[in-house]
Amino acid sequence: MILGMETTQLAIVALIAVAVGLGAIVVVYPLLMPSVPEARVRALGRGRRAAPAPRQSAMERLVGSPRDSRRRQVQDTLKQIEDREKQRKKKVTLRNLIERSGLGISVRRYWAVSALIGSAFAFVALILGIPWYVAILAGVVGFLGVPRWFLGFMARRREQQFLDGLADAIDIMVRGLKAGLPLSDAMRVIATEAGPIIGPEFLEVIEGQRIGIPIDQGLERMYERMPLPEVSFLGIVISIQSKTGGNLSEALGNLSKVLRERKKMKGKIRSMSQEAKTSAIIIGSLPFLIIGALLVISPKYLTPFFETEIGNWILIGCGLWMLVGILVMRKMINFRI
């Protein structure tokens, strides 16, 4: 039975609408639903019974025990750090992205290079005979998309190199503190002896201390240049110790163990998800490989998809479905700790 033109067009429009709806669900649903750790914490909080309060003497009731005072100081410090991190996340500028990438260029030079890349993309598209509106789109992608992607790629690579040596740097700090060195001198050893990524970052902290910036604020600036949870952990440990006291070498030793365990866990997750990533790459590339093979074996077989309006709509719908499938597979195989 041959369907009429209107029925076929309605079916194609419905197919595209369903694809767009599923894509919106894939993108919006994780943002609306609470994460698994948050849900687990709420469940444990509902099922937990309040422990009986320990007895206190009259002097402790009037003045407060040292343990309660230390706990309040720790809570206040953590609250201040959390508020500063929230404000810092809202103020990520282009200059911060350039600093995180380690390129060492100015914002003006970045925009000049972006303009050259966008012009090159548009010029190549016009030379290849692509319509002018597609050439403009290619120029916009080259001006805004490619440079930002390159900055993100360089920043992620630099962060990974920093993270690989952070645990060893903290061990150097622990050994220096146990040998009787001050914290600033232990950091100076890291700045002079560590590699090209970790050394300059700790050198910035030491140089800032010379002009009156405390170490905890210097570590906060390091977190702005290197936004890693491990750097935040280091800043929290040193900030709490500077305000409440305690054994800093023991706290840093425990932090080094935590960082090494996190690195092992990330390696296990990466190895476990590699099979799923390979399967996703194969499944995602199969349609393009089949289309390429058909274009080589029988070029006229796929001609209606490119030369007719209905064929173009079908290709658009298939592309949207492919995008939905890729987003779903990406959500399933990406694990972050």
Side-chain angles (χ1 to χ4, degrees):
M1 180 178 180
I2 301 176
L3 297 176
M5 185 68 67
E6 296 180 357
T7 306
T8 305
Q9 291 179 352
L10 289 175
I12 294 172
V13 171
L15 181 65
I16 294 174
V18 172
V20 172
L22 290 176
I25 291 174
V26 171
V27 175
V28 176
Y29 181 77
L31 301 176
L32 297 178
M33 296 301 293
S35 61
V36 176
E38 292 178 356
R40 185 172 179 83
V41 168
R42 292 176 183 176
L44 292 175
R46 287 195 297 267
R48 185 182 302 167
R49 294 182 178 179
R55 294 183 178 179
Q56 296 180 345
S57 62
M59 181 63 67
E60 290 180 349
R61 287 195 297 268
L62 292 175
V63 180
S65 63
R67 183 178 300 176
D68 293 338
S69 177
R70 179 181 174 85
R71 186 182 297 112
R72 285 193 298 267
Q73 290 178 355
V74 171
Q75 290 176 352
D76 295 339
T77 303
L78 291 176
K79 182 64 176 176
Q80 294 175 2
I81 294 173
E82 184 180 358
D83 294 338
R84 285 197 296 266
E85 288 183 357
K86 290 180 179 179
Q87 295 177 359
R88 192 182 299 116
K89 289 180 180 179
K90 296 179 181 179
K91 298 179 180 179
V92 179
T93 61
L94 181 59
R95 188 179 299 276
N96 296 133
L97 295 177
I98 295 175
E99 290 179 355
R100 293 174 184 179
S101 64
L103 295 178
I105 61 175
S106 61
V107 178
R108 181 178 299 177
R109 180 172 296 182
Y110 168 82
W111 286 119
V113 174
S114 300
L116 290 176
I117 295 174
S119 301
F121 273 48
F123 182 71
V124 171
L126 291 175
I127 290 177
L128 295 176
I130 299 176
W132 62 270
Y133 50 88
V134 180
I136 292 176
L137 181 61
V140 172
V141 172
F143 179 69
L144 297 177
V146 175
R148 286 294 184 113
W149 174 85
F150 183 72
L151 285 180
F153 172 77
M154 295 295 294
R156 287 191 296 270
R157 190 178 70 171
R158 189 166 178 267
E159 290 171 3
Q160 186 60 43
Q161 293 175 356
F162 181 87
L163 190 59
D164 291 338
L166 182 59
D168 295 333
I170 294 177
D171 288 338
I172 293 174
M173 294 172 58
V174 172
R175 296 189 189 99
L177 291 173
K178 289 183 178 180
L181 292 176
L183 180 60
S184 58
D185 291 343
M187 286 189 175
R188 187 174 290 107
V189 173
I190 299 173
T192 55
E193 301 294 335
I197 303 297
I198 295 181
E201 292 294 334
F202 279 91
L203 183 61
E204 289 283 342
V205 179
I206 299 301
E207 294 295 332
Q209 191 180 13
R210 290 181 179 177
I211 60 176
I213 300 176
I215 293 181
D216 54 350
Q217 294 184 9
L219 291 174
E220 291 179 8
R221 294 189 176 186
M222 181 191 292
Y223 180 73
E224 293 178 359
R225 299 186 300 269
M226 201 69 62
L228 293 169
E230 290 79 3
V231 179
S232 178
F233 296 160
L234 178 61
I236 290 172
V237 169
I238 294 180
S239 177
I240 291 176
Q241 190 274 338
S242 63
K243 294 182 179 180
T244 63
N247 192 345
L248 181 58
S249 62
E250 182 180 357
L252 291 177
N254 294 331
L255 177 61
S256 176
K257 293 179 182 179
V258 171
L259 297 185
R260 295 184 187 278
E261 291 298 328
R262 283 174 61 87
K263 186 176 180 180
K264 291 180 182 179
M265 181 63 66
K266 288 181 179 179
K268 291 180 181 179
I269 292 175
R270 190 180 299 111
S271 61
M272 292 174 62
S273 62
Q274 192 62 40
E275 182 180 357
K277 291 180 180 179
T278 305
S279 301
I281 292 173
I282 294 174
I283 294 173
S285 61
L286 275 178
F288 301 100
L289 294 177
I290 294 173
I291 291 175
L294 288 175
L295 290 175
V296 173
I297 297 173
S298 179
K300 296 183 179 180
Y301 184 77
L302 298 177
T303 301
F305 289 100
F306 301 103
E307 296 183 354
T308 62
E309 184 179 356
I310 297 177
N312 294 334
W313 282 106
I314 292 175
L315 289 177
I316 293 173
C318 292
L320 291 175
W321 276 110
M322 283 290 299
L323 178 61
V324 171
I326 290 172
L327 291 175
V328 171
M329 289 188 292
R330 184 177 182 274
K331 188 66 179 178
M332 293 173 63
I333 64 179
N334 277 347
F335 302 95
R336 299 187 66 180
I337 61 173

